[in-house]
Amino acid sequence: MGGHIIFLDVSAGRYFSIPSAWNDGFRLALSGEASVLDEAVMPRLLEAQLLAVTDGPDHPSAPTLPELPIRSLLDEAVADASMVAGWRAAFLQWVARRTLSRHGLSAVASIFAALERRPEIKPDRALRIAKRSAMAFRRSGTLVTSADTCLVRSTALALTLRRRNVPAQLVLGVTASPFSAHAWVQLRDLLLNDRIEHVRSFTPIWAL
């Protein structure tokens, strides 16, 4: 992103970047060319635990990230949800906020991993469920405070759908200059809880 390298520390629930002088060295290490790293940079990357010395040639592969969505549910004519559905969505956001505040993003990732083993349902049924759930969360916008962040809302929506075997993804993206972070939910190429023009300004770095 414009020459910047931005990391997400899942266990700590924070984003961070490295000094620009380390960028080239880190990219060389990722490409398997650590042997040509600047001798002054390598110890710093090791000390920061951004690199680790291993005995074998294997290294973790880059995460698989979804393509940015090309259409948004908010631009489609979809029936509004009931107030009862809105209250339920508000409660699910409260649960997500408590989970994130008490146990962090790594706990959320563990929940997603456990749900990964569930079989997916047929695409047309998944789409119907996704639309109904997304509209319920949109309705809840009149019931929850502005302190409820995009991460809380998106985590709650994505977990709701995954528990119903809908293969929706929670996506986290960032911008570099100035730095900002955002979270949204998408089902394949359909954005469920945001506008296309908004999420296109972010580069996805993690998805569940």
Side-chain angles (χ1 to χ4, degrees):
M1 288 172 290
H4 296 273
I5 297 177
I6 297 177
F7 297 84
L8 170 61
D9 184 339
V10 175
S11 60
R14 68 182 183 93
Y15 298 90
F16 67 95
S17 61
I18 59 178
S20 56
W22 299 7
N23 286 346
D24 289 342
F26 185 77
R27 290 190 177 97
L28 284 171
L30 289 184
S31 65
E33 301 180 35
S35 59
V36 298
L37 271 176
D38 187 318
E39 292 183 358
V41 173
M42 175 64 93
R44 293 172 182 246
L45 292 172
L46 291 170
E47 183 180 359
Q49 298 184 353
L50 298 173
L51 294 179
V53 177
T54 61
D55 296 328
D58 295 336
H59 55 82
S61 58
T64 301
L65 298 173
E67 296 289 335
L68 284 173
I70 61 175
R71 57 196 179 103
S72 172
L73 181 64
L74 302 185
D75 296 324
E76 298 184 6
V78 182
D80 199 4
S82 68
M83 185 61 72
V84 172
W87 276 112
R88 183 175 183 276
F91 171 74
L92 293 172
Q93 290 174 70
W94 176 82
V95 173
R97 183 172 64 251
R98 186 180 64 172
T99 300
L100 285 164
S101 63
R102 291 185 177 182
H103 307 292
L105 195 55
S106 58
V108 171
S110 297
I111 297 172
F112 274 93
L115 295 173
E116 191 71 30
R117 295 187 288 270
R118 293 190 175 191
E120 295 180 9
I121 59 178
K122 292 182 179 180
D124 57 342
R125 184 162 181 257
L127 182 59
R128 289 196 300 269
I129 293 173
K131 287 182 176 182
R132 286 199 301 268
S133 298
M135 294 310 294
F137 274 79
R138 187 180 185 187
R139 183 65 179 265
S140 73
T142 61
L143 306 172
V144 296
T145 67
S146 58
D148 292 286
T149 67
C150 61
L151 179 59
V152 169
R153 293 193 300 270
S154 295
T155 296
L157 174 57
L159 283 174
T160 297
L161 294 174
R162 293 289 277 274
R163 286 180 172 126
R164 299 193 65 182
N165 298 344
V166 176
Q169 288 183 285
L170 170 65
V171 184
L172 277 63
V174 297
T175 62
S177 298
F179 175 80
S180 62
H182 189 46
W184 64 88
V185 181
Q186 63 185 80
L187 177 61
R188 293 180 285 274
D189 66 350
L190 178 63
L191 180 60
L192 296 176
N193 63 340
D194 210 332
R195 301 283 182 184
I196 290 292
E197 57 271 19
H198 186 209
V199 303
R200 279 181 177 168
S201 62
F202 295 89
T203 300
I205 63 170
W206 199 44
L208 293 171

